[in-house]
PDB file of all heavy atoms in Angstrom:
ATOM      1  N   CYS A  30       7.916  -4.121  -2.067  1.00 97.00           N
ATOM      2  CA  CYS A  30       9.114  -4.383  -2.872  1.00 97.00           C
ATOM      3  C   CYS A  30       8.843  -4.278  -4.370  1.00 97.00           C
ATOM      4  O   CYS A  30       9.728  -4.523  -5.178  1.00 97.00           O
ATOM      5  CB  CYS A  30       9.685  -5.763  -2.534  1.00 97.00           C
ATOM      6  SG  CYS A  30      10.289  -5.888  -0.839  1.00 97.00           S
ATOM      7  N   SER A  31       7.628  -3.907  -4.743  1.00 97.00           N
ATOM      8  CA  SER A  31       7.300  -3.735  -6.155  1.00 97.00           C
ATOM      9  C   SER A  31       7.617  -2.308  -6.592  1.00 97.00           C
ATOM     10  O   SER A  31       7.958  -1.450  -5.774  1.00 97.00           O
ATOM     11  CB  SER A  31       5.804  -4.017  -6.390  1.00 97.00           C
ATOM     12  OG  SER A  31       5.017  -2.918  -5.946  1.00 97.00           O
ATOM     13  N   CYS A  32       7.455  -2.051  -7.866  1.00 97.00           N
ATOM     14  CA  CYS A  32       7.689  -0.694  -8.368  1.00 97.00           C
ATOM     15  C   CYS A  32       6.666   0.291  -7.802  1.00 97.00           C
ATOM     16  O   CYS A  32       6.884   1.504  -7.850  1.00 97.00           O
ATOM     17  CB  CYS A  32       7.695  -0.672  -9.898  1.00 97.00           C
ATOM     18  SG  CYS A  32       6.144  -1.167 -10.643  1.00 97.00           S
ATOM     19  N   LEU A  33       5.580  -0.202  -7.229  1.00 96.00           N
ATOM     20  CA  LEU A  33       4.566   0.662  -6.629  1.00 96.00           C
ATOM     21  C   LEU A  33       4.936   1.097  -5.215  1.00 96.00           C
ATOM     22  O   LEU A  33       4.404   2.092  -4.722  1.00 96.00           O
ATOM     23  CB  LEU A  33       3.207  -0.040  -6.607  1.00 96.00           C
ATOM     24  CG  LEU A  33       2.614  -0.388  -7.970  1.00 96.00           C
ATOM     25  CD1 LEU A  33       1.348  -1.203  -7.802  1.00 96.00           C
ATOM     26  CD2 LEU A  33       2.363   0.862  -8.781  1.00 96.00           C
ATOM     27  N   GLY A  34       5.801   0.346  -4.538  1.00 97.00           N
ATOM     28  CA  GLY A  34       6.188   0.680  -3.166  1.00 97.00           C
ATOM     29  C   GLY A  34       4.988   0.741  -2.247  1.00 97.00           C
ATOM     30  O   GLY A  34       4.116  -0.116  -2.288  1.00 97.00           O
ATOM     31  N   ALA A  35       4.903   1.783  -1.434  1.00 98.00           N
ATOM     32  CA  ALA A  35       3.808   1.932  -0.469  1.00 98.00           C
ATOM     33  C   ALA A  35       2.590   2.624  -1.072  1.00 98.00           C
ATOM     34  O   ALA A  35       1.540   2.708  -0.436  1.00 98.00           O
ATOM     35  CB  ALA A  35       4.294   2.714   0.747  1.00 98.00           C
ATOM     36  N   GLU A  36       2.690   3.111  -2.305  1.00 97.00           N
ATOM     37  CA  GLU A  36       1.618   3.891  -2.927  1.00 97.00           C
ATOM     38  C   GLU A  36       0.230   3.242  -2.849  1.00 97.00           C
ATOM     39  O   GLU A  36      -0.753   3.925  -2.551  1.00 97.00           O
ATOM     40  CB  GLU A  36       1.970   4.208  -4.376  1.00 97.00           C
ATOM     41  CG  GLU A  36       0.993   5.145  -5.033  1.00 97.00           C
ATOM     42  CD  GLU A  36       1.395   5.498  -6.449  1.00 97.00           C
ATOM     43  OE1 GLU A  36       2.600   5.505  -6.755  1.00 97.00           O
ATOM     44  OE2 GLU A  36       0.493   5.747  -7.253  1.00 97.00           O
ATOM     45  N   PRO A  37       0.087   1.930  -3.105  1.00 97.00           N
ATOM     46  CA  PRO A  37      -1.255   1.344  -3.035  1.00 97.00           C
ATOM     47  C   PRO A  37      -1.903   1.446  -1.655  1.00 97.00           C
ATOM     48  O   PRO A  37      -3.120   1.381  -1.538  1.00 97.00           O
ATOM     49  CB  PRO A  37      -1.023  -0.121  -3.414  1.00 97.00           C
ATOM     50  CG  PRO A  37       0.223  -0.103  -4.225  1.00 97.00           C
ATOM     51  CD  PRO A  37       1.066   0.977  -3.608  1.00 97.00           C
ATOM     52  N   PHE A  38      -1.109   1.623  -0.605  1.00 97.00           N
ATOM     53  CA  PHE A  38      -1.637   1.710   0.749  1.00 97.00           C
ATOM     54  C   PHE A  38      -2.003   3.145   1.150  1.00 97.00           C
ATOM     55  O   PHE A  38      -2.473   3.375   2.256  1.00 97.00           O
ATOM     56  CB  PHE A  38      -0.618   1.165   1.756  1.00 97.00           C
ATOM     57  CG  PHE A  38      -0.374  -0.304   1.652  1.00 97.00           C
ATOM     58  CD1 PHE A  38       0.750  -0.781   0.989  1.00 97.00           C
ATOM     59  CD2 PHE A  38      -1.250  -1.222   2.216  1.00 97.00           C
ATOM     60  CE1 PHE A  38       0.994  -2.141   0.892  1.00 97.00           C
ATOM     61  CE2 PHE A  38      -1.019  -2.579   2.121  1.00 97.00           C
ATOM     62  CZ  PHE A  38       0.101  -3.044   1.453  1.00 97.00           C
ATOM     63  N   LEU A  39      -1.772   4.111   0.284  1.00 96.00           N
ATOM     64  CA  LEU A  39      -2.014   5.506   0.650  1.00 96.00           C
ATOM     65  C   LEU A  39      -3.478   5.911   0.526  1.00 96.00           C
ATOM     66  O   LEU A  39      -3.884   6.949   1.052  1.00 96.00           O
ATOM     67  CB  LEU A  39      -1.126   6.436  -0.180  1.00 96.00           C
ATOM     68  CG  LEU A  39       0.374   6.227   0.041  1.00 96.00           C
ATOM     69  CD1 LEU A  39       1.177   7.220  -0.791  1.00 96.00           C
ATOM     70  CD2 LEU A  39       0.744   6.315   1.507  1.00 96.00           C
ATOM     71  N   GLU A  40      -4.267   5.117  -0.172  1.00 96.00           N
ATOM     72  CA  GLU A  40      -5.715   5.322  -0.261  1.00 96.00           C
ATOM     73  C   GLU A  40      -6.392   4.036   0.182  1.00 96.00           C
ATOM     74  O   GLU A  40      -5.958   2.948  -0.188  1.00 96.00           O
ATOM     75  CB  GLU A  40      -6.126   5.663  -1.697  1.00 96.00           C
ATOM     76  CG  GLU A  40      -5.507   6.936  -2.237  1.00 96.00           C
ATOM     77  CD  GLU A  40      -6.021   8.193  -1.565  1.00 96.00           C
ATOM     78  OE1 GLU A  40      -7.193   8.197  -1.105  1.00 96.00           O
ATOM     79  OE2 GLU A  40      -5.266   9.169  -1.495  1.00 96.00           O
ATOM     80  N   HIS A  41      -7.457   4.161   0.921  1.00 97.00           N
ATOM     81  CA  HIS A  41      -8.162   2.970   1.406  1.00 97.00           C
ATOM     82  C   HIS A  41      -9.108   2.418   0.348  1.00 97.00           C
ATOM     83  O   HIS A  41      -9.717   3.181  -0.415  1.00 97.00           O
ATOM     84  CB  HIS A  41      -8.943   3.286   2.678  1.00 97.00           C
ATOM     85  CG  HIS A  41      -8.062   3.378   3.884  1.00 97.00           C
ATOM     86  ND1 HIS A  41      -7.558   2.270   4.526  1.00 97.00           N
ATOM     87  CD2 HIS A  41      -7.580   4.442   4.568  1.00 97.00           C
ATOM     88  CE1 HIS A  41      -6.819   2.642   5.546  1.00 97.00           C
ATOM     89  NE2 HIS A  41      -6.806   3.965   5.596  1.00 97.00           N
ATOM     90  N   VAL A  42      -9.230   1.097   0.336  1.00 97.00           N
ATOM     91  CA  VAL A  42     -10.154   0.442  -0.583  1.00 97.00           C
ATOM     92  C   VAL A  42     -11.324  -0.217   0.151  1.00 97.00           C
ATOM     93  O   VAL A  42     -12.275  -0.642  -0.497  1.00 97.00           O
ATOM     94  CB  VAL A  42      -9.434  -0.589  -1.495  1.00 97.00           C
ATOM     95  CG1 VAL A  42      -8.499   0.112  -2.469  1.00 97.00           C
ATOM     96  CG2 VAL A  42      -8.691  -1.630  -0.694  1.00 97.00           C
ATOM     97  N   PHE A  43     -11.269  -0.305   1.493  1.00 97.00           N
ATOM     98  CA  PHE A  43     -12.385  -0.851   2.259  1.00 97.00           C
ATOM     99  C   PHE A  43     -12.358  -0.276   3.683  1.00 97.00           C
ATOM    100  O   PHE A  43     -11.288   0.024   4.216  1.00 97.00           O
ATOM    101  CB  PHE A  43     -12.390  -2.383   2.257  1.00 97.00           C
ATOM    102  CG  PHE A  43     -11.182  -3.028   2.880  1.00 97.00           C
ATOM    103  CD1 PHE A  43     -11.270  -3.606   4.140  1.00 97.00           C
ATOM    104  CD2 PHE A  43      -9.964  -3.080   2.218  1.00 97.00           C
ATOM    105  CE1 PHE A  43     -10.162  -4.201   4.712  1.00 97.00           C
ATOM    106  CE2 PHE A  43      -8.860  -3.678   2.780  1.00 97.00           C
ATOM    107  CZ  PHE A  43      -8.964  -4.244   4.049  1.00 97.00           C
ATOM    108  N   PRO A  44     -13.540  -0.090   4.292  1.00 96.00           N
ATOM    109  CA  PRO A  44     -13.630   0.587   5.583  1.00 96.00           C
ATOM    110  C   PRO A  44     -12.901  -0.093   6.743  1.00 96.00           C
ATOM    111  O   PRO A  44     -12.389   0.597   7.628  1.00 96.00           O
ATOM    112  CB  PRO A  44     -15.137   0.643   5.861  1.00 96.00           C
ATOM    113  CG  PRO A  44     -15.777   0.551   4.524  1.00 96.00           C
ATOM    114  CD  PRO A  44     -14.867  -0.339   3.716  1.00 96.00           C
ATOM    115  N   ASP A  45     -12.863  -1.416   6.796  1.00 96.00           N
ATOM    116  CA  ASP A  45     -12.219  -2.099   7.926  1.00 96.00           C
ATOM    117  C   ASP A  45     -10.766  -1.673   8.113  1.00 96.00           C
ATOM    118  O   ASP A  45     -10.278  -1.579   9.241  1.00 96.00           O
ATOM    119  CB  ASP A  45     -12.277  -3.617   7.757  1.00 96.00           C
ATOM    120  CG  ASP A  45     -13.646  -4.187   8.047  1.00 96.00           C
ATOM    121  OD1 ASP A  45     -14.510  -3.444   8.549  1.00 96.00           O
ATOM    122  OD2 ASP A  45     -13.852  -5.386   7.780  1.00 96.00           O
ATOM    123  N   ALA A  46     -10.056  -1.409   7.028  1.00 97.00           N
ATOM    124  CA  ALA A  46      -8.657  -0.991   7.136  1.00 97.00           C
ATOM    125  C   ALA A  46      -8.553   0.378   7.800  1.00 97.00           C
ATOM    126  O   ALA A  46      -7.596   0.644   8.537  1.00 97.00           O
ATOM    127  CB  ALA A  46      -7.987  -0.981   5.767  1.00 97.00           C
ATOM    128  N   VAL A  47      -9.540   1.238   7.571  1.00 97.00           N
ATOM    129  CA  VAL A  47      -9.557   2.557   8.216  1.00 97.00           C
ATOM    130  C   VAL A  47      -9.719   2.382   9.725  1.00 97.00           C
ATOM    131  O   VAL A  47      -8.993   2.982  10.517  1.00 97.00           O
ATOM    132  CB  VAL A  47     -10.705   3.437   7.668  1.00 97.00           C
ATOM    133  CG1 VAL A  47     -10.747   4.780   8.392  1.00 97.00           C
ATOM    134  CG2 VAL A  47     -10.597   3.627   6.165  1.00 97.00           C
ATOM    135  N   VAL A  48     -10.671   1.543  10.109  1.00 96.00           N
ATOM    136  CA  VAL A  48     -10.972   1.331  11.529  1.00 96.00           C
ATOM    137  C   VAL A  48      -9.758   0.784  12.264  1.00 96.00           C
ATOM    138  O   VAL A  48      -9.415   1.238  13.351  1.00 96.00           O
ATOM    139  CB  VAL A  48     -12.180   0.378  11.700  1.00 96.00           C
ATOM    140  CG1 VAL A  48     -12.409   0.029  13.164  1.00 96.00           C
ATOM    141  CG2 VAL A  48     -13.432   1.007  11.087  1.00 96.00           C
ATOM    142  N   VAL A  49      -9.065  -0.173  11.676  1.00 96.00           N
ATOM    143  CA  VAL A  49      -7.978  -0.863  12.359  1.00 96.00           C
ATOM    144  C   VAL A  49      -6.629  -0.175  12.174  1.00 96.00           C
ATOM    145  O   VAL A  49      -5.842  -0.075  13.118  1.00 96.00           O
ATOM    146  CB  VAL A  49      -7.900  -2.339  11.899  1.00 96.00           C
ATOM    147  CG1 VAL A  49      -6.730  -3.050  12.548  1.00 96.00           C
ATOM    148  CG2 VAL A  49      -9.204  -3.056  12.235  1.00 96.00           C
ATOM    149  N   CYS A  50      -6.335   0.297  10.969  1.00 97.00           N
ATOM    150  CA  CYS A  50      -5.001   0.844  10.660  1.00 97.00           C
ATOM    151  C   CYS A  50      -4.937   2.363  10.656  1.00 97.00           C
ATOM    152  O   CYS A  50      -3.859   2.928  10.465  1.00 97.00           O
ATOM    153  CB  CYS A  50      -4.528   0.317   9.305  1.00 97.00           C
ATOM    154  SG  CYS A  50      -4.320  -1.463   9.257  1.00 97.00           S
ATOM    155  N   GLY A  51      -6.064   3.038  10.833  1.00 95.00           N
ATOM    156  CA  GLY A  51      -6.072   4.488  10.813  1.00 95.00           C
ATOM    157  C   GLY A  51      -6.303   5.030   9.415  1.00 95.00           C
ATOM    158  O   GLY A  51      -6.447   4.284   8.454  1.00 95.00           O
ATOM    159  N   THR A  52      -6.325   6.347   9.324  1.00 96.00           N
ATOM    160  CA  THR A  52      -6.665   6.987   8.050  1.00 96.00           C
ATOM    161  C   THR A  52      -5.569   6.871   7.006  1.00 96.00           C
ATOM    162  O   THR A  52      -5.830   6.943   5.816  1.00 96.00           O
ATOM    163  CB  THR A  52      -6.996   8.479   8.251  1.00 96.00           C
ATOM    164  OG1 THR A  52      -5.885   9.105   8.887  1.00 96.00           O
ATOM    165  CG2 THR A  52      -8.251   8.658   9.078  1.00 96.00           C
ATOM    166  N   ARG A  53      -4.340   6.675   7.463  1.00 96.00           N
ATOM    167  CA  ARG A  53      -3.222   6.590   6.511  1.00 96.00           C
ATOM    168  C   ARG A  53      -2.008   6.003   7.232  1.00 96.00           C
ATOM    169  O   ARG A  53      -1.755   6.334   8.380  1.00 96.00           O
ATOM    170  CB  ARG A  53      -2.899   7.987   6.022  1.00 96.00           C
ATOM    171  CG  ARG A  53      -2.006   8.034   4.837  1.00 96.00           C
ATOM    172  CD  ARG A  53      -1.919   9.460   4.318  1.00 96.00           C
ATOM    173  NE  ARG A  53      -1.019   9.481   3.193  1.00 96.00           N
ATOM    174  CZ  ARG A  53      -1.341   9.846   1.987  1.00 96.00           C
ATOM    175  NH1 ARG A  53      -2.553  10.256   1.737  1.00 96.00           N
ATOM    176  NH2 ARG A  53      -0.467   9.839   1.019  1.00 96.00           N
ATOM    177  N   PRO A  54      -1.254   5.158   6.563  1.00 98.00           N
ATOM    178  CA  PRO A  54      -0.020   4.666   7.187  1.00 98.00           C
ATOM    179  C   PRO A  54       1.100   5.697   7.086  1.00 98.00           C
ATOM    180  O   PRO A  54       1.066   6.578   6.228  1.00 98.00           O
ATOM    181  CB  PRO A  54       0.321   3.427   6.353  1.00 98.00           C
ATOM    182  CG  PRO A  54      -0.245   3.737   5.003  1.00 98.00           C
ATOM    183  CD  PRO A  54      -1.496   4.547   5.257  1.00 98.00           C
ATOM    184  N   ALA A  55       2.063   5.579   7.962  1.00 98.00           N
ATOM    185  CA  ALA A  55       3.308   6.334   7.821  1.00 98.00           C
ATOM    186  C   ALA A  55       4.173   5.557   6.834  1.00 98.00           C
ATOM    187  O   ALA A  55       4.094   4.329   6.772  1.00 98.00           O
ATOM    188  CB  ALA A  55       4.011   6.459   9.169  1.00 98.00           C
ATOM    189  N   VAL A  56       5.002   6.255   6.069  1.00 98.00           N
ATOM    190  CA  VAL A  56       5.818   5.592   5.048  1.00 98.00           C
ATOM    191  C   VAL A  56       7.255   6.094   5.124  1.00 98.00           C
ATOM    192  O   VAL A  56       7.495   7.301   5.194  1.00 98.00           O
ATOM    193  CB  VAL A  56       5.255   5.851   3.628  1.00 98.00           C
ATOM    194  CG1 VAL A  56       6.161   5.241   2.566  1.00 98.00           C
ATOM    195  CG2 VAL A  56       3.840   5.316   3.510  1.00 98.00           C
ATOM    196  N   VAL A  57       8.186   5.153   5.089  1.00 98.00           N
ATOM    197  CA  VAL A  57       9.609   5.473   5.058  1.00 98.00           C
ATOM    198  C   VAL A  57      10.191   4.849   3.793  1.00 98.00           C
ATOM    199  O   VAL A  57      10.062   3.638   3.588  1.00 98.00           O
ATOM    200  CB  VAL A  57      10.338   4.928   6.308  1.00 98.00           C
ATOM    201  CG1 VAL A  57      11.836   5.175   6.230  1.00 98.00           C
ATOM    202  CG2 VAL A  57       9.760   5.554   7.571  1.00 98.00           C
ATOM    203  N   PRO A  58      10.810   5.654   2.928  1.00 97.00           N
ATOM    204  CA  PRO A  58      11.474   5.089   1.745  1.00 97.00           C
ATOM    205  C   PRO A  58      12.609   4.162   2.188  1.00 97.00           C
ATOM    206  O   PRO A  58      13.051   4.240   3.334  1.00 97.00           O
ATOM    207  CB  PRO A  58      12.031   6.301   1.007  1.00 97.00           C
ATOM    208  CG  PRO A  58      11.451   7.497   1.663  1.00 97.00           C
ATOM    209  CD  PRO A  58      10.960   7.092   3.008  1.00 97.00           C
ATOM    210  N   TYR A  59      13.102   3.346   1.288  1.00 97.00           N
ATOM    211  CA  TYR A  59      14.164   2.417   1.666  1.00 97.00           C
ATOM    212  C   TYR A  59      15.409   3.156   2.159  1.00 97.00           C
ATOM    213  O   TYR A  59      15.890   4.087   1.520  1.00 97.00           O
ATOM    214  CB  TYR A  59      14.570   1.497   0.511  1.00 97.00           C
ATOM    215  CG  TYR A  59      15.670   0.558   0.958  1.00 97.00           C
ATOM    216  CD1 TYR A  59      15.358  -0.554   1.731  1.00 97.00           C
ATOM    217  CD2 TYR A  59      17.000   0.828   0.684  1.00 97.00           C
ATOM    218  CE1 TYR A  59      16.348  -1.390   2.201  1.00 97.00           C
ATOM    219  CE2 TYR A  59      18.008  -0.006   1.154  1.00 97.00           C
ATOM    220  CZ  TYR A  59      17.675  -1.116   1.910  1.00 97.00           C
ATOM    221  OH  TYR A  59      18.660  -1.933   2.384  1.00 97.00           O
ATOM    222  N   VAL A  60      15.892   2.714   3.302  1.00 94.00           N
ATOM    223  CA  VAL A  60      17.157   3.156   3.889  1.00 94.00           C
ATOM    224  C   VAL A  60      17.768   1.899   4.493  1.00 94.00           C
ATOM    225  O   VAL A  60      17.069   1.106   5.128  1.00 94.00           O
ATOM    226  CB  VAL A  60      16.953   4.226   4.988  1.00 94.00           C
ATOM    227  CG1 VAL A  60      18.266   4.620   5.615  1.00 94.00           C
ATOM    228  CG2 VAL A  60      16.232   5.448   4.434  1.00 94.00           C
ATOM    229  N   ALA A  61      19.071   1.695   4.311  1.00 92.00           N
ATOM    230  CA  ALA A  61      19.728   0.510   4.866  1.00 92.00           C
ATOM    231  C   ALA A  61      19.555   0.477   6.382  1.00 92.00           C
ATOM    232  O   ALA A  61      19.589   1.517   7.045  1.00 92.00           O
ATOM    233  CB  ALA A  61      21.217   0.508   4.509  1.00 92.00           C
ATOM    234  N   PRO A  62      19.330  -0.711   6.948  1.00 88.00           N
ATOM    235  CA  PRO A  62      19.157  -0.838   8.398  1.00 88.00           C
ATOM    236  C   PRO A  62      20.340  -0.252   9.168  1.00 88.00           C
ATOM    237  O   PRO A  62      21.481  -0.307   8.722  1.00 88.00           O
ATOM    238  CB  PRO A  62      19.061  -2.348   8.612  1.00 88.00           C
ATOM    239  CG  PRO A  62      18.544  -2.873   7.319  1.00 88.00           C
ATOM    240  CD  PRO A  62      19.171  -1.993   6.264  1.00 88.00           C
TER     241      PRO A  62
END
């Protein structure tokens, strides 16, 4: 919900996140439910 959106999650900062969450998350811009 910040001005950064999902951008900080597009590059990994530690290996455990790669192992558990995969190489990259899928991202959907805001769309009303």
Side-chain angles (χ1 to χ4, degrees):
C30 295
S31 77
C32 62
L33 297 174
E36 187 177 331
F38 292 100
L39 298 182
E40 299 291 331
H41 284 283
V42 292
F43 62 105
D45 284 351
V47 177
V48 174
V49 177
C50 297
T52 56
R53 193 172 178 120
V56 176
V57 176
Y59 180 78
V60 178

